[in-house]
Amino acid sequence: MQAVVLVKYGNPERAFELRELNKPEPKEGEVRIKVEAFGLNYADVTARKGMYKDAPPLPAVIGYDVVGVVDKLGPGADEELLGKRVVALTRFGGYAEYVVANQLVAHEINYQLSNAAATALATQYSTAYYASNMAT
């Protein structure tokens, strides 16, 4: 599979390389997702700049949220998710053709929701919702 790999910190034009990697295999309670689109959020930008303390070491595939279709289940994963279009939080790995995620953070969505709207639900909406509820 192809993935956009962060190979060095700094300017996006020089920080990334398109590489061929093995497809990830889902573990216990995980699903593998054939990615249609990934989100771009603050964690990704700060990881590219070398300022995100929880980012994986380089080289790394970043990307916190994706939209796609579940194409494989790990042991113990909910069989109902197989073949479903989902939005998921990935905790890195999203800038790729395939990614794995815990089934608990992969939620079915319908095809009427655009990729842009669906990826915004994952991190951006959740952050805004949390912040707005903390203010009250």
Side-chain angles (χ1 to χ4, degrees):
M1 70 161 192
Q2 291 191 320
V4 178
V5 180
L6 180 63
V7 295
K8 60 184 168 183
Y9 302 122
N11 186 312
E13 289 82 11
R14 292 187 215 111
F16 296 103
E17 289 181 4
L18 186 61
R19 292 188 178 175
E20 192 68 29
L21 302 176
N22 293 328
K23 283 184 190 175
E25 290 298 322
K27 296 178 181 132
E28 180 77 28
E30 292 181 334
V31 296
R32 184 173 69 192
I33 301 164
K34 182 171 183 358
V35 176
E36 296 174 3
F38 59 81
L40 174 62
N41 57 57
Y42 186 71
D44 300 316
V45 173
T46 55
R48 177 185 50 81
K49 293 179 176 183
M51 299 168 45
Y52 196 75
K53 70 176 185 158
D54 290 333
L58 299 183
V61 180
I62 59 175
Y64 249 80
D65 37 32
V66 298
V67 172
V69 175
V70 174
D71 83 321
K72 191 170 185 179
L73 303 173
D78 183 358
E79 293 181 13
E80 291 291 319
L81 287 171
L82 189 61
K84 302 291 180 162
R85 184 171 185 246
V86 297
V87 59
L89 294 171
T90 59
R91 182 119 175 102
F92 302 112
Y95 290 15
E97 289 183 295
Y98 292 86
V99 67
V100 294
N102 186 296
Q103 70 174 358
L104 298 176
V105 293
H107 300 281
E108 184 178 358
I109 55 172
N110 66 39
Y111 283 91
Q112 295 175 338
L113 194 61
S114 72
N115 287 338
T119 57
L121 283 174
T123 304
Q124 292 84 355
Y125 171 79
S126 297
T127 301
Y129 181 83
Y130 177 77
S132 67
N133 283 306
M134 292 301 294
T136 58

